[in-house]
Amino acid sequence: MIGLLSRDLRLATRAGGGFGLALAFFLIVCTLVPFGVGPSGGTLAKIAPGILWVGALLSCLLSLDRIFALDYEDGTLDLLATSPLPLEGAVAVKALAHWLTTGLPLVLAAPVFGLLLHLPSDAYFGLMLSLALGTPALSMLGAFGAAVTVGLRRGGLLLSLLVLPLYIPTLIFGAEAVRRSAAGSDISSPLVFLAAITLATIALVPFVAAGALRVNLR
């Protein structure tokens, strides 16, 4: 599993589908929003929690089709399916690699992008904590969508349509945590829901995604 993780991390950075692409897209979203809604700091501060979470969500979505597509094309996925490593473990490792190259950099860079949207300084802790708890669920759900659509022509569009509805609960509770943090309110409730969603996806998605991969490989 460690060897598979290190391989996926190397491939993600070399193939250009890693953290650089996600961060660039996140920066573009945070830069374009002030041009669209105006430079008013008060207006930007109100919409910043939602914009930051939507930007992080869409940034994670960019590289989802690469989780299994390259391995499917070169035959590596067939080898993984017949290797001693359970396919469920391979799914979990690939989702972890996606989070390390996409989700984690977004968590670390989020305060910088919050400055562009005039996010109140009190909300930075809530922003980073909510992203740290919520982005693993995005990667796990994305691995499920990638497993269902692997091998399909133009599966990227279908992958987006499949995964985006599953992202909505994470988006709602993540943005609510940032809004409460900016208002100085208690953020424990949305954070608990975020953690529950992430733990549920970690427990269930590897088995569902592995089943989808077995069906597609037959």
Side-chain angles (χ1 to χ4, degrees):
M1 292 180 72
I2 295 176
L4 179 60
L5 177 62
S6 61
R7 168 188 175 272
D8 281 0
L9 292 177
R10 290 194 301 270
L11 289 177
T13 53
R14 292 175 183 174
F19 63 90
L21 178 61
L23 288 178
F25 184 83
F26 202 176
L27 176 61
I28 291 173
V29 171
C30 295
T31 304
L32 291 180
V33 167
F35 290 104
V37 302
S40 174
T43 302
L44 290 174
K46 290 180 180 179
I47 66 174
I51 295 300
L52 288 169
W53 254 96
V54 169
L57 186 151
L58 295 178
S59 299
C60 288
L61 192 66
L62 287 178
S63 56
L64 289 182
D65 60 337
R66 306 178 67 90
I67 295 180
F68 298 114
L70 297 179
D71 292 333
Y72 180 82
E73 293 173 358
D74 62 12
T76 303
L77 195 57
D78 295 289
L79 296 177
L80 287 175
T82 57
S83 69
L85 175 65
L87 196 54
E88 292 81 2
V91 171
V93 169
K94 285 185 168 294
L96 175 61
H98 180 269
W99 182 77
L100 290 175
T101 56
T102 303
L104 182 59
L106 294 178
V107 174
L108 300 177
V112 178
F113 297 137
L115 290 173
L116 300 176
L117 298 176
H118 296 273
L119 184 71
S121 58
D122 295 339
Y124 288 156
F125 175 74
L127 173 64
M128 294 188 67
L129 188 56
S130 65
L131 287 173
L133 289 175
T135 49
L138 301 182
S139 294
M140 291 300 298
L141 292 171
F144 163 70
V148 172
T149 59
V150 68
L152 297 179
R153 289 186 177 182
R154 299 181 180 178
L157 178 59
L158 181 59
L159 172 60
S160 301
L161 295 176
L162 177 64
V163 170
L164 281 176
L166 302 177
Y167 279 177
I168 292 177
T170 303
L171 172 63
I172 291 174
F173 291 116
E176 179 63 20
V178 182
R179 279 193 292 267
R180 291 191 180 189
S181 182
S185 304
D186 180 36
I187 63 173
S188 59
S189 296
L191 291 181
V192 167
F193 279 105
L194 277 177
I197 293 172
T198 296
L199 292 176
T201 57
I202 292 174
L204 298 176
V205 166
F207 298 96
V208 180
L213 287 176
R214 292 189 180 99
V215 170
N216 287 328
L217 290 175
R218 288 176 182 173

